[in-house]
C-alpha cells in the first residue's frame, strides 16, 4: 500500500523505539476494549508490525484493568499504565505521552467514536512533511444538539480570548511526530488543557476532516458540569482576559458610581435631601457587592492555580505497569 514504509525508512525511524505509539486512556471502558484492540490491530498491522498501544487505566471501577491485563497477555504490544486512582483524562493522556516510545504518536479514545481507519490518511500526511495531523469533526453523530452548540460556542469563545489558535471541532485524536512529543514533555504545568498545549507548541499542523461516530458501547463520562469546569480550565490556562475584564468592570463601576455621586450631590444642593433614596441605595450596594464577588472569584481561580503549581506534586501516581520497563 502507498502508506507503507520501506525497510530502510523503518530502521531509521525506529532507532529509539517503535514506529507507532497509540495512547489510549480508559475509564470504565470494559465493554469497548476488546473491539477497540481488534479494530486497531487490523489497521496498524497493515502499516507496520512495529507498534504499541499504551493503555492508561484511569482508576476504573469496572473490569477495565482485568480486560487490559488479558489483552497484554495475548499481545505484548498492549502496554498498561495502571493509576493508583482516577486522575482525569488530561492527566491520563499526559502519562501515555510520557511512556510512548514511538516516532509517531496518536492519542485516541477507546470508545471508537474516532475511527482508527483514519490513521492511514494521517500517516500519508505525515510522510508529506506535516508534524501534526489533527482530526477535525465535520459531523458529530450520537451527540445532543445542546452539546454540539455548546462545543461550537466554546471554541469560538476561547479563540477570541487566547493568543493561540485552537482548531474548532478538534479533540485529542491526532498524529504527532516525535519532536512534537519531546516539546510537549517539557511542559510541566499541573492544570493541563491538552488541546491548548497541542496548539501552543506549534510546528507544521494540518487538519484532516472526518465524521465522528457514536460510541461503540457504554456511556460518556462527561456531564455538563464537568464540561463547564473543563471550559474554565481551558480559558484560565491560556488567557488572562478574565482578569483584565474584572479590571475593566471595576473601572466602569467606579466611573458610574462617581457620576452618580455627582448627580446626588447636585440634586441635594438644589432640592434638599430626602429619605426616598433607600431603594436606589440598596440597588447600588447589591450591584457593587455582586461585582466585587465576581472579581474576587475570578482572581481566586488564578490564585488557586498558582497554589497548585507551587506545591509541585507529581501529576499522577502509577500503581503498576504491564509491559513497560
Amino acid at each position: 500500500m502507498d502508506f507503507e514504509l520501506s525497510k530502510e525508512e523503518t530502521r531509521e525511524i525506529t532507532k529509539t523505539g517503535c514506529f507507532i505509539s497509540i495512547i489510549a486512556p480508559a475509564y470504565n471502558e470494559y465493554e469497548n476494549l476488546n473491539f477497540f484492540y481488534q479494530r486497531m490491530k487490523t489497521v496498524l498491522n497493515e502499516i507496520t508490525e512495529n507498534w504499541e498501544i499504551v493503555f492508561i487505566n484511569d482508576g476504573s471501577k469496572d473490569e477495565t484493568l482485568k480486560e487490559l491485563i488479558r489483552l497484554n497477555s495475548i499481545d505484548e504490544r498492549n502496554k498498561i499504565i495502571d493509576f493508583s486512582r482516577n486522575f482525569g483524562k488530561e492527566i491520563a493522556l499526559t502519562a501515555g505521552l510520557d511512556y510512548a516510545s514511538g516516532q509517531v504518536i496518536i492519542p485516541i479514545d477507546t470508545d471508537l467514536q474516532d475511527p482508527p481507519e483514519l490513521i492511514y490518511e494521517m500517516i500519508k500526511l505525515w510522510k508529506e512533511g506535516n508534524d501534526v495531523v489533527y482530526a477535525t469533526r465535520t459531523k458529530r453523530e450520537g451527540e445532543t444538539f445542546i452539546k454540539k452548540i455548546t462545543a461550537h460556542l466554546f471554541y469560538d469563545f476561547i479563540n477570541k480570548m487566547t493568543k493561540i489558535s485552537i482548531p474548532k471541532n478538534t479533540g485529542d485524536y491526532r498524529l504527532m511526530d516525535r519532536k512534537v512529543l519531546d516539546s510537549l514533555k517539557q511542559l510541566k504545568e499541573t492544570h493541563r488543557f491538552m488541546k491548548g498545549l497541542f496548539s501552543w507548541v506549534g510546528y507544521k499542523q494540518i487538519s484532516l476532516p472526518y465524521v465522528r461516530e457514536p460510541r461503540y458501547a457504554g456511556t460518556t463520562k462527561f456531564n455538563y458540569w464537568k464540561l463547564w469546569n473543563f471550559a474554565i480550565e481551558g480559558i484560565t490556562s491560556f488567557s488572562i482576559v478574565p482578569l483584565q475584564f474584572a479590571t475593566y468592570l471595576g473601572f466602569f463601576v467606579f466611573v458610574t458610581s462617581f457620576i452618580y455621586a455627582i448627580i446626588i450631590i447636585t440634586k441635594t444642593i438644589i432640592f434638599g435631601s430626602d429619605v426616598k433614596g433607600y431603594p436606589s441605595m440598596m440597588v447600588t450596594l447589591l450591584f457593587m457587592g455582586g461585582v466585587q464577588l465576581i472579581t474576587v472569584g475570578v482572581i481566586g481561580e488564578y490564585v488557586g492555580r498558582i497554589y497548585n503549581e507551587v506545591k509541585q506534586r507529581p501529576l499522577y501516581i502509577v500503581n503498576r505497569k504491564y509491559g513497560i520497563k
Side-chain angles (χ1 to χ4, degrees):
M1 297 184 183
D2 59 0
F3 53 77
E4 287 183 333
L5 300 175
S6 66
K7 291 182 179 179
E8 291 74 18
E9 285 178 306
T10 302
R11 275 198 298 268
E12 181 65 26
I13 284 170
T14 57
K15 281 181 180 178
T16 58
C18 67
F19 175 28
I20 300 177
S21 289
I22 302 296
I23 309 301
Y27 176 63
N28 293 344
E29 295 288 356
Y30 167 75
E31 299 172 275
N32 293 313
L33 291 174
N34 183 58
F35 191 69
F36 171 83
Y37 162 66
Q38 297 297 336
R39 192 167 159 186
M40 184 63 73
K41 180 180 70 171
T42 300
V43 171
L44 295 176
N45 281 340
E46 290 187 3
I47 302 172
T48 177
E49 292 187 356
N50 195 6
W51 54 264
E52 66 179 4
I53 303 178
V54 181
F55 290 99
I56 305 92
N57 178 40
D58 189 20
S60 299
K61 307 293 185 189
D62 62 359
E63 299 296 315
T64 292
L65 179 58
K66 184 177 179 180
E67 178 64 10
L68 289 176
I69 293 173
R70 186 188 71 82
L71 292 176
N72 172 256
S73 68
I74 64 176
D75 191 337
E76 63 182 7
R77 293 174 296 183
N78 292 321
K79 302 177 180 181
I80 307 167
I81 302 168
D82 179 34
F83 279 174
S84 62
R85 64 170 177 84
N86 178 259
F87 284 89
K89 184 185 174 184
E90 303 296 288
I91 301 301
L93 183 56
T94 299
L97 296 174
D98 286 343
Y99 284 93
S101 64
Q103 177 63 33
V104 167
I105 299 90
I106 304 174
I108 184 172
D109 293 340
T110 57
D111 57 16
L112 291 170
Q113 286 188 278
D114 302 320
E117 291 75 17
L118 209 63
I119 294 174
Y120 298 140
E121 190 63 30
M122 287 180 170
I123 294 291
K124 290 180 185 178
L125 292 171
W126 171 72
K127 288 183 67 178
E128 291 172 6
N130 297 289
D131 300 311
V132 178
V133 182
Y134 56 86
T136 303
R137 305 157 187 160
T138 57
K139 224 174 157 184
R140 303 165 70 109
E141 302 287 354
E143 294 185 2
T144 64
F145 173 78
I146 295 176
K147 188 172 181 181
K148 292 176 184 177
I149 193 67
T150 51
H152 177 76
L153 291 173
F154 167 71
Y155 283 109
D156 279 343
F157 187 63
I158 196 170
N159 277 319
K160 289 177 181 177
M161 296 186 70
T162 61
K163 294 181 179 179
I164 61 170
S165 178
I166 300 175
K168 293 183 180 180
N169 295 314
T170 300
D172 298 319
Y173 190 27
R174 65 191 65 216
L175 177 149
M176 295 178 288
D177 187 82
R178 183 77 203 182
K179 64 183 179 184
V180 180
L181 174 61
D182 290 339
S183 296
L184 280 169
K185 289 170 73 173
Q186 296 179 49
L187 310 179
K188 300 296 184 182
E189 58 253 50
T190 301
H191 291 269
R192 306 183 68 80
F193 180 64
M194 296 306 299
K195 295 175 185 62
L197 296 180
F198 290 144
S199 297
W200 187 89
V201 294
Y203 295 102
K204 187 177 180 181
Q205 305 198 12
I206 189 171
S207 170
L208 178 59
Y210 77 109
V211 176
R212 197 176 202 215
E213 302 172 0
R215 288 178 62 91
Y216 173 71
T219 57
T220 180
K221 311 306 180 296
F222 270 96
N223 53 40
Y224 287 109
W225 178 247
K226 288 183 179 179
L227 290 172
W228 168 255
N229 288 328
F230 183 66
I232 292 176
E233 192 72 60
I235 293 167
T236 54
S237 294
F238 285 90
S239 175
I240 61 168
V241 170
L243 286 173
Q244 294 172 328
F245 175 76
T247 302
Y248 297 144
L249 181 60
F251 183 75
F252 170 76
V253 171
F254 167 76
V255 171
T256 304
S257 301
F258 184 74
I259 294 172
Y260 183 66
I262 292 175
I263 293 172
I264 293 296
I265 293 170
T266 304
K267 183 179 175 183
T268 302
I269 292 173
I270 296 174
F271 301 103
S273 61
D274 53 40
V275 195
K276 294 182 180 179
Y278 179 76
S280 60
M281 181 184 68
M282 289 302 299
V283 169
T284 303
L285 288 174
L286 291 173
F287 176 71
M288 289 289 292
V291 169
Q292 289 172 343
L293 287 173
I294 291 171
T295 304
V296 170
V298 171
I299 295 171
E301 286 287 338
Y302 285 91
V303 172
R305 278 153 178 73
I306 295 171
Y307 172 68
N308 286 331
E309 295 293 343
V310 298
K311 285 188 291 189
Q312 296 186 335
R313 289 178 181 171
L315 294 177
Y316 54 86
I317 297 175
V318 176
N319 177 39
R320 191 172 176 184
K321 295 177 288 187
Y322 299 82
I324 300 175
K325 295 180 181 179

